[in-house]
Amino acid sequence: MIPKIILGAGPYATRRTIGYLFGKGRANEHIDPHLVASWNGFAPDPGRSPHRDPKDAMAQLVAQLDQPVKMLGDKAPKDTVWHCPVRAAPEDPILTDAQWADIARRIVAAAGIAPDGDKHACRWVAVRHADDHIHIAATLVRQDGRRPERGYDQRAVQREARKIEIDYGLRRLKQGDGTGAKRPTSKEHFKARRLGQDAATRDVLRLRVRRAVAAAADEAEFFALLEATDVIVRFKIGPSGDALGCNFALPADTNDKGEPVFYAGSTLSPDLSLPKIRNSLATTSSEPATARPGNPWHQATAAAERIPHHLAHDDAHAAQGQLVALGATLDLLPATAPAAMKAELERAAAAFERATRSRITADLASTRTLRRSVQAIWRDRPQERDGTGLAMLLDAALTAVAFAVHWHRTHQHTQQEAAAAQALVHLQIAYGQVAEPILAVLAQRTPSDQTKRRFAHHLQEAVPEHAERILNDASWDALATVLAEAEAAGHNAATVLDQALGQRTLDDAHSPARALTWRIRRLGERHAPSPRAQAAMARSTAQRPRIPTAHPTASVPLQQRPPTRRR
């Protein structure tokens, strides 16, 4: 249940609000508008007044609501109307008028508008014109002439909404921390429908601005990308002539004067103000525009594989920075993916967007490699033989998102935890779409039984704790194939396998065989070392004590560990 407080000012604020609530709506969406509750229980109801003109009833209702305000004259407050829509979730049961009336009384009491038993409280009404929501409108002068004590009323009504959800068996929303993006209003949704848009302008702009931030190497490229996606930018210029902020608009979304409707970046999302955009761009703009030599898919995957370590061992600011970089990666992946899986990747990015912000300030210093590599993938679209690069990166992203769920849980970020968990579901679907065909083709080229026994023997010696799972995994044949292909390319299969095992623990992998398949595929595509170098690596590996494969959060009780994810 989502309550949202809107304040109205001006001599006609009450008339405008009541006129809207009992009108047809901006798209004839108001059906049977009527009162379900009021401050005295018998206020005039313009929606259901069979023996009087609705306009007269509306004028009488406005006059009664405004009476305490008019009594103050010039001493009346600037904001005179308190307007609070309260909306149930689409899957919630349809509530009766009596149930909505009870909810309205609880909301105005929690907000300090009309505390229980206070006969001199503010005057208010609750209007229903749809199955799933009501509007509460109140005037902000008590009947004794004093102002209502409504400090932190938004937090108070949110807390009461969480209790109402429990009492009425409604969908229970997660407690927020003030870092969530502002939701589109009903007015914005209806306008988007009239314009033929799939989403409200606010959501469209947030997505385009986020992608431009993720893709741009510097500020100039950021604004060029916005222009290329039909986003209009208007700057807020300070006395010095410098840009202090910027607003964004879509050409088709105009007001009644035909002018574009602009949204400040900070109202699209708390991390899209101009100063925060500049801070994010500074992470990559300090390097040359060209990417480092090497395969950007491999570089991005290697960087993404380090995110769980950062989340488990770095301070909170550095960990938060890793989540920002992971969100930027997910924002750009749909543009690099085959058409069949774009939709799931876009859903994953949209869900994880909420998991990239918290009250913890992000330190982006350690995220440069990941962001530059993903930008190179987005910009250059490097050709792949079979989509293996995307599969590798998604495999690493799945583990990173699973750790993000756990990290947010330990920091009691309930909304962010839920968002990361939802993103994980979409990523698993997309990963299956790209990885399953590749693994199936690899399995068809599996080497001889003798070769597989040799690989199995080394596995049993190197990782006895995982060997049985790997050998019984459906992806074992694919793993054996990439080992054989690495060997054919001049690598020592045992050395490559040791390198893959040493990159990260397998404890968190749902399928260790798949995890090793992608690692060895990546290692196998590198130039094979010379025989002398191979001998030196073999001696080094033999002399180096094997690092225990303990999970970085092994000391955490089982129920608190990161959720297992599919590979």
Side-chain angles (χ1 to χ4, degrees), residues 486-547:
E487 200 169 56
H491 294 273
N492 182 292
T495 302
V496 170
L497 183 56
D498 282 338
Q499 289 176 332
L501 290 168
Q503 285 181 347
R504 278 201 72 248
T505 176
L506 294 173
D507 287 10
D508 64 293
H510 178 76
S511 171
R514 287 190 182 187
L516 289 174
T517 298
W518 304 129
R519 294 180 195 177
I520 292 167
R521 185 72 176 268
R522 194 162 72 248
L523 291 168
E525 290 182 2
R526 299 177 181 175
H527 291 298
S530 65
R532 179 177 297 180
Q534 289 191 24
M537 286 190 294
R539 287 194 300 271
S540 175
T541 302
Q543 294 170 2
R544 186 177 64 245
R546 188 168 66 87
I547 299 174

Side-chain angles (χ1 to χ4, degrees), residues 57-361:
M58 188 179 301
Q60 186 178 359
L61 176 60
V62 170
Q64 291 185 18
L65 287 168
D66 262 345
Q67 186 178 15
V69 179
K70 299 296 185 184
M71 289 176 62
L72 290 184
D74 294 340
K75 296 181 180 180
K78 176 183 177 182
D79 294 319
T80 58
V81 173
W82 186 90
H83 178 195
C84 181
V86 184
R87 185 178 300 274
E91 65 269 26
D92 285 339
I94 296 177
L95 302 177
T96 66
D97 281 358
Q99 289 172 321
W100 277 119
D102 175 62
I103 291 170
R105 294 186 187 98
R106 292 175 62 170
I107 292 293
V108 294
I113 296 296
D116 290 335
D118 188 345
K119 296 181 180 180
H120 300 290
C122 297
R123 296 184 175 186
W124 62 274
V125 292
V127 181
R128 182 180 190 180
H129 48 52
D131 286 338
D132 64 348
H133 71 279
I134 59 171
H135 291 256
I136 305 171
T139 43
L140 289 174
V141 176
R142 290 166 47 89
Q143 295 180 73
D144 57 11
R146 295 187 292 122
R147 310 281 179 85
E149 296 182 1
R150 58 178 194 87
Y152 303 104
D153 53 354
Q154 182 65 57
R155 297 182 187 177
V157 298
Q158 290 292 346
R159 286 195 298 268
E160 188 63 28
R162 304 294 81 78
K163 298 175 184 177
I164 291 170
E165 290 162 357
I166 296 172
D167 294 343
Y168 281 92
L170 306 177
R171 176 187 175 187
R172 298 177 63 178
L173 301 184
K174 305 295 183 182
Q175 190 69 33
D177 59 2
T179 62
K182 186 177 180 181
R183 295 173 179 268
T185 64
S186 298
K187 176 182 176 181
E188 292 172 6
H189 278 302
F190 288 123
K191 186 175 185 180
R193 192 179 303 170
R194 293 198 305 272
L195 294 174
Q197 296 176 181
D198 294 333
T201 297
R202 180 186 303 277
D203 289 338
V204 174
L205 285 171
R206 182 169 62 251
L207 174 61
R208 293 185 185 179
V209 175
R210 279 183 61 86
R211 284 183 174 172
V213 173
D218 52 37
E219 194 169 327
E221 186 178 11
F222 167 70
F223 289 114
L225 289 171
L226 290 179
E227 182 180 0
T229 55
D230 293 329
V231 175
I232 305 172
V233 180
R234 183 178 67 187
F235 293 99
K236 178 182 178 182
I237 306 298
S240 65
D242 296 329
L244 303 179
C246 56
N247 300 336
F248 307 98
L250 295 180
D253 187 4
T254 59
N255 58 21
D256 53 5
K257 297 179 181 179
E259 302 166 338
V261 178
F262 283 91
Y263 295 79
S266 59
T267 64
L268 295 177
S269 179
D271 55 350
L272 293 182
S273 65
L274 184 57
K276 291 186 177 180
I277 289 173
R278 284 172 169 166
N279 181 56
S280 180
L281 293 173
T283 306
T284 53
S285 60
S286 60
E287 289 192 355
T290 56
R292 295 186 306 168
N295 187 320
W297 287 107
H298 293 181
Q299 293 169 353
T301 301
E305 284 185 332
R306 292 192 289 270
I307 292 177
H309 178 84
H310 288 295
L311 295 179
H313 298 290
D314 287 2
D315 64 51
H317 300 287
Q320 181 66 50
Q322 293 294 321
L323 297 179
V324 172
L326 180 57
T329 300
L330 297 180
D331 284 337
L332 292 184
L333 276 185
T336 69
M341 63 190 65
K342 282 183 183 293
E344 286 299 335
L345 289 176
E346 287 174 348
R347 295 184 188 107
F352 196 76
E353 181 261 347
R354 180 66 188 94
T356 62
R357 292 186 306 278
S358 72
R359 287 290 183 182
I360 299 171
T361 304

Side-chain angles (χ1 to χ4, degrees), residues 32-46:
D32 186 25
H34 61 279
L35 289 184
V36 294
S38 65
W39 78 96
N40 58 8
F42 51 84
D45 185 352

